[in-house]
C-alpha cells in the first residue's frame, strides 16, 4: 500500500520514508530582538532544510516543552502565517503546520500550507471540522495529559494497548466528522507522557501500528530518551537520533520528524539503497537509477 498526501495540487508520495524538517518559530528560536529579522531568519533556515533534502517543513509557533507558556491565537497566527506564506511562495516543499488551534490551521492552510501536525490530535473545539472543511492531511498524535504536566503521574494499563485504543478512537472520531481516510497520518507520540523505557518499548513495537492502514509519523530527534540512556546533552544526540530513525523506518515509519535533515537524508539514502538488494534478483536498472539520484544530491 503506497500512501499519498495531497493539498493545493501538491502530492507527497510515501513510497519511501520522508524527512520532515523542524522549523521552530517561537521567539526564543531565532530572535535577536527584531521581528523582521525573525521572519528572514526563519525563511533562511527553511531554505537550508529544503537544500539539505527535507520533503516536509514542520512550522511550529507554540513551544511544547513541559512548563512552556501558553500562546494566544493572535500571537501564534503572527508567528506562523507569514512564515508559511513565504515558504509557499519561495520554496518547493510540502509545508506542515505544528498547531492545535483551529484558527491557525485555517489561516496557515489558506496561506499555502499543506498539512496539519496536531500533537493534541484535533482535541480543540472546532479543529476536526476545520480539518474536514480544508480537506487537509492531518497527523493524529498520541499524548497522555498536556505538555505542561505530561511527565507527571505517567500511568498506563497496557502501553501498546492504551495507545492503540486512543488512536483507534481518534480515527473513528475523525472519520465520523467527515475527514477522509486518505488525509490521516498516525503518530504514537514518542516522549509525550511516557517514561524512557516506555518510549523504547513503543519504538521497539512500532510495527503494531502499521496494520491500522495509515502512514506512521515519528519524532525521535534529540529527544530525552536518547539523553536519559546515554547521558548525551541535547546538542550531542545526533548519533542516537539517526540510529532510532533508521530503526523506525525498518519498523514501517513513513515520515521522520528531525532537526538534522542533511544527516538523516544521508542515512536514509543508504537505507533505501541497501533495501533495493533485499529481494533476490535485484533489478539492476532501478539500482543504477537510485545510485545516480543519490550521487546528484547537492551537499550544503
Ligand atoms: C529535544 C529535542 C528535546 C526535541 C525535546 C524535543 C513530535 C511532534 C514534537 C512528535 C509529531 C520535541 C511537534 C517535541 N514532537 N509532532 N512535535 N510527533 N507529530 N521535543 O513526536 O521535538 S515537539
Amino acid at each position: 500500500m503506497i500512501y499519498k498526501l495531497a493539498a493545493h495540487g501538491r502530492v507527497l508520495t510515501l513510497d519511501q520514508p520522508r524527512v520532515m524538517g523542524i522549523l521552530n518559530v517561537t521567539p526564543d528560536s531565532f530572535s535577536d530582538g527584531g521581528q523582521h529579522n525573525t521572519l528572514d531568519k526563519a525563511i533562511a533556515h527553511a531554505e537550508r532544510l529544503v537544500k539539505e533534502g527535507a520533503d516536509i517543513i514542520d512550522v511550529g509557533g507554540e513551544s511544547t516543552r513541559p512548563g512552556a507558556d501558553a500562546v494566544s491565537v493572535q500571537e501564534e497566527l503572527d508567528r506562523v502565517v507569514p512564515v508559511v506564506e513565504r515558504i509557499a511562495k519561495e520554496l518547493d516543499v510540502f509545508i506542515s503546520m505544528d498547531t492545535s488551534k483551529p484558527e491557525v490551521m485555517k489561516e496557515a492552510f489558506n496561506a499555502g500550507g499543506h498539512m496539519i501536525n496536531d500533537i493534541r490530535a484535533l482535541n480543540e473545539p472546532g479543529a476536526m471540522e476545520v480539518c474536514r472543511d480544508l480537506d487537509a492531511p492531518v497527523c493524529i498524535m498520541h499524548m497522555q495529559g498536556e505538555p505542561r504536566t505530561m511527565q507527571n503521574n505517567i500511568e498506563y494499563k497496557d502501553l501498546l494497548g492504551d495507545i492503540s485504543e486512543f488512536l483507534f478512537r481518534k480515527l473513528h472520531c475523525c472519520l465520523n466528522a467527515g475527514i477522509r481516510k486518505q488525509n490521516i497520518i498516525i503518530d504514537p507520540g514518542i516522549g509525550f507522557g511516557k517514561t524512557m523505557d516506555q518510549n523504547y518499548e513503543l519504538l521497539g513495537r512500532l510495527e503494531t501500528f502499521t496494520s491500522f492502514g495509515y502512514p506512521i509519523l515519528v519524532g525521535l530527534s534529540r529527544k530525552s530518551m536518547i539523553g536519559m540512556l546515554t547521558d548525551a546533552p541535547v546538542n550531542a544526540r545526533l548519533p542516537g537520533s539517526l540510529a532510532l530513525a533508521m530503526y523506525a523506518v525498518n519498523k514501517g515509519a513513513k515520515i521522520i520528524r528531525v532537526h538534522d535533515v542533511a544527516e538523516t537524508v544521508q542515512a536514509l539514502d543508504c537505507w533505501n539503497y541497501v533495501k533495493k538488494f533485499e529481494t533476490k534478483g535485484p533489478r539492476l536498472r532501478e539500482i543504477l537509477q537510485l545510485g545516480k539520484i543519490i550521487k546528484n544530491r547537492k551537499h550544503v
Side-chain angles (χ1 to χ4, degrees):
M1 175 59 185
I2 293 177
Y3 301 108
K4 279 179 195 213
L5 307 177
H8 301 309
R10 178 182 280 276
V11 180
L12 181 67
T13 308
L14 305 179
D15 55 341
Q16 51 174 276
R18 298 293 176 182
V19 175
M20 172 185 264
I22 300 169
L23 182 65
N24 284 318
V25 292
T26 50
D28 48 306
S29 25
F30 287 107
S31 85
D32 48 2
Q35 188 76 325
H36 282 314
N37 228 312
T38 309
L39 178 58
D40 284 336
K41 280 186 178 169
I43 300 304
H45 190 66
E47 190 175 358
R48 182 182 153 175
L49 296 177
V50 172
K51 282 186 178 157
E52 290 182 349
D55 303 292
I56 310 169
I57 305 281
D58 190 37
V59 184
E62 185 209 13
S63 178
T64 47
R65 283 202 195 102
D69 283 335
V71 179
S72 72
V73 172
Q74 194 56 53
E75 177 69 39
E76 205 178 312
L77 283 169
D78 292 345
R79 289 179 188 175
V80 171
V81 175
V83 174
V84 168
E85 194 173 337
R86 275 194 58 189
I87 296 174
K89 275 209 193 90
E90 298 173 25
L91 302 173
D92 183 24
V93 72
F94 210 85
I95 306 167
S96 162
M97 288 81 70
D98 161 16
T99 187
S100 299
K101 296 185 177 68
E103 300 88 344
V104 178
M105 294 173 182
K106 190 171 167 182
E107 296 293 318
F109 186 87
N110 289 332
H114 302 95
M115 67 170 274
I116 315 295
N117 174 29
D118 183 6
I119 59 155
R120 294 182 185 80
L122 309 182
N123 206 37
E124 293 295 312
M128 228 168 248
E129 292 74 15
V130 163
C131 287
R132 175 201 54 209
D133 293 346
L134 295 174
D135 194 26
V138 55
C139 178
I140 300 298
M141 195 193 79
H142 173 271
M143 168 164 61
Q144 187 177 86
E146 258 285 308
R148 184 181 293 276
T149 54
M150 64 191 176
Q151 294 308 108
N152 312 333
N153 312 313
I154 296 167
E155 203 183 303
Y156 293 90
K157 196 157 44 68
D158 156 32
L159 181 75
L160 271 292
D162 290 3
I163 293 169
S164 296
E165 189 179 310
F166 172 92
L167 290 173
F168 259 128
R169 284 184 199 277
K170 274 291 171 188
L171 287 167
H172 188 83
C173 284
C174 287
L175 297 171
N176 254 350
I179 293 175
R180 291 189 306 127
K181 182 173 194 266
Q182 291 91 322
N183 274 338
I184 306 176
I185 300 153
I186 56 172
D187 183 337
I190 296 283
F192 288 86
K194 289 132 190 139
T195 65
M196 180 188 92
D197 276 359
Q198 285 170 341
N199 287 314
Y200 280 99
E201 183 181 348
L202 196 47
L203 183 57
R205 299 185 55 194
L206 193 69
E207 74 275 12
T208 306
F209 305 104
T210 55
S211 61
F212 287 24
Y214 297 83
I216 299 171
L217 186 158
V218 282
L220 297 153
S221 186
R222 302 183 188 173
K223 282 192 177 174
S224 67
M225 66 185 290
I226 301 165
M228 290 167 88
L229 183 71
T230 65
D231 245 10
V234 67
N235 63 348
R237 296 177 187 167
L238 177 58
S241 300
L242 293 175
L244 297 184
M246 293 308 102
Y247 186 89
V249 302
N250 266 330
K251 291 263 175 178
K254 289 289 184 277
I255 302 174
I256 307 293
R257 183 179 179 275
V258 303
H259 300 86
D260 305 285
V261 169
E263 292 84 352
T264 307
V265 167
Q266 184 182 102
L268 273 174
D269 279 345
C270 294
W271 184 88
N272 274 314
Y273 198 69
V274 74
K275 195 91 180 131
K276 294 276 177 217
F277 291 88
E278 245 180 26
T279 49
K280 216 176 151 157
R283 284 144 300 174
L284 286 170
R285 296 188 79 83
E286 207 179 312
I287 290 166
L288 208 66
Q289 202 184 323
L290 180 60
K292 277 183 186 157
I293 291 167
I294 292 170
K295 273 223 172 111
N296 275 327
R297 277 195 197 284
K298 299 274 179 291
H299 293 278
V300 286

